[in-house]
Amino acid sequence: MWLSAVVAALVFQSASAPGTDFEADGLRALEQKNYSVAIEALTKAIAAEPGSYTAHFNLALAYSLSARGTEAIAEYRRTLELKPGLYQANLNLGILLLEAKQAGAALSALREARGARPAEFRPAYYLGETLLASGKPAEAAPEFEAALKIDPKSAAAELGLARALARGSQLSAAGPHFERAAQLDPAYSDALLELADLYQGAKQYDEAAAIYDRFPNNAAAQERVGEILLTAGKHAEAIPHLETAVRLSPSSANRLALATAYFGKKELDKGVEVLNQALTADPDNYDLRMLAGRVLRDQKQYPKAVTQFASAVKIKPESLDAWNEAAASLMLADDYPRAMAALDKLKSLGGETPSHYYLRAIMFDKLKQYPPALDYYQRFLAASGGKFPDEEFKSRQRARIIQRELSKR
């Protein structure tokens, strides 16, 4: 509708301006949507009459309709050199520059168009979009409001205003406009997911979950609401959402979340089944390996846990968490040489903590290597600062016993 109106206006303009048969041929081709023919004819018209701003404008339009944006931009700029302030050229140039992600360059053209036609929807709306893309949400919001006064039923303008308010740290004010956009046009329903993401980012988890839950057939939305519930420790409530997400579109992430929820609800068999499915599909997933190792560790299957943590270390060799888990599991598996090696690796990575002194002390103690055991008990006690009362009590007891033993030698 808009494009045919532009062509009709320029047919009138070109009829009253100097022209050639080439320009008339180009206009007819434009009306017939034969853009390649239009481009050829209008190029010839410009060669014959370089100062015809209507020919340049229509060539720009033909380029634009042929998805040749760079050439269209150049022709609109030439049009404005020949006819400064031409409303439709400024508007079209601004829109094309915005689409080309050159929002800064689009601003002057759209401001001119807005000033020329303050009562029209398009310049207000596109100026709002351009200001928003330029990182100026406070300036964009009034433009979208103006567009909505002209067309109160524009879902696009409602969404633009919602985004401008949200990016201007006015999330509570933005929410109703996201909702209004979806009400005006169902095609904008996914904008509600954008709102939910914003709520989640702002830690307004209840609001986010309530919106995600309105999309029962959207795997990503169900995964998000499940994760929110999981973070809140509501494992049982999270499970049906995560089961839906896995059923609709299984992924390593939603299977990991579902397995975590099952384990949290003490449904061990279900958790193991989902975790094994995930590992089969994605064996090089660090998070899956870490969860598998922790589950096996909690079941006191230490050698198997070590295998999982070793796999995690191969995936992320610099992971302090993986090396820490590996060291602890190796110690619990009575594999002291490898446990010591893992602690050495942690130290080389800058991840040694007082708890690692304690682990070394225990292992040296069990190996009856009392001098280093005493040394590490004492290091632990000096560094722990009362944070580990049980371990500190045991360390004092063992340190005294070892000191007495060593004094007898």
Side-chain angles (χ1 to χ4, degrees), residues 106-116 127 131 136 139:
L107 279 174
S108 60
L110 287 168
R111 282 192 168 121
E112 277 204 52
R114 176 86 168 97
L127 180 56
L131 288 164
K136 300 177 179 180
E139 294 179 47

Side-chain angles (χ1 to χ4, degrees), residues 10 22 43 88 90 103 130 154 169 182 217 255 263 339 347 355 357 400 402:
L10 287 166
F22 291 130
T43 301
Q88 199 67 62
N90 272 317
T130 303
S154 170
S169 301
N217 296 316
R255 280 172 163 159
F263 292 134
K347 184 177 180 179
S355 63
Y357 298 153
R400 281 195 291 268
I402 291 171

Side-chain angles (χ1 to χ4, degrees), residues 116-347:
R117 304 278 181 90
E120 290 199 9
F121 173 84
R122 280 180 173 273
Y125 170 74
Y126 281 108
L127 180 56
E129 287 288 340
T130 303
L131 288 164
L132 193 58
S134 300
K136 300 177 179 180
E139 294 179 47
E143 298 301 331
F144 289 121
E145 288 170 347
L148 284 166
K149 286 181 181 177
I150 299 165
D151 182 4
K153 294 185 178 181
S154 170
E158 284 284 0
L159 181 57
L161 178 56
R163 287 171 171 164
L165 291 169
R167 293 176 196 177
S169 301
Q170 300 182 61
L171 185 54
S172 60
H177 294 287
F178 278 107
E179 294 280 1
R180 176 68 175 156
Q183 290 169 3
L184 287 168
D185 187 345
Y188 285 76
S189 293
D190 282 354
L192 294 174
L193 294 173
E194 184 179 334
L195 175 59
D197 288 347
L198 290 168
Y199 280 139
Q200 190 171 2
K203 299 184 179 180
Q204 295 179 226
Y205 298 121
D206 290 344
E207 292 87 344
I211 294 176
Y212 288 134
D213 210 20
R214 289 158 63 178
F215 293 82
N217 296 316
N218 184 304
Q222 290 301 300
E223 181 177 342
R224 289 289 187 88
V225 70
E227 288 173 346
I228 289 171
L229 292 166
L230 201 57
T231 301
K234 299 178 180 179
H235 300 93
E237 293 177 46
I239 286 171
H241 298 283
L242 294 169
E243 286 176 336
T244 298
V246 170
R247 175 175 54 79
L248 291 172
S249 181
S251 69
S252 297
N254 57 34
R255 280 172 163 159
L256 174 65
L258 179 56
T260 302
Y262 280 139
F263 292 134
K265 198 187 172 190
K266 310 300 182 187
E267 295 187 17
L268 189 60
D269 290 343
K270 287 184 178 180
V272 168
E273 180 182 359
V274 172
L275 185 55
N276 286 337
Q277 290 170 353
L279 281 168
T280 298
D282 189 6
D284 295 326
N285 187 293
Y286 170 84
D287 293 324
L288 291 172
R289 290 292 179 187
M290 290 295 287
L291 178 59
R294 287 170 175 144
V295 169
L296 290 164
R297 177 203 62 199
D298 292 346
Q299 293 177 317
K300 299 184 179 181
Q301 298 184 42
Y302 302 124
K304 290 183 179 180
V306 166
T307 299
Q308 294 297 330
F309 292 130
S311 296
V313 162
K314 287 180 181 177
I315 297 165
K316 288 189 178 182
E318 306 300 305
S319 170
L320 297 178
D321 198 18
W323 279 109
N324 190 59
E325 293 282 14
S329 296
L330 284 162
M331 189 199 77
L332 291 167
D334 297 328
D335 190 341
Y336 299 147
R338 289 176 65 201
M340 291 286 193
L343 291 172
D344 290 341
K345 179 65 177 180
L346 277 165
K347 184 177 180 179

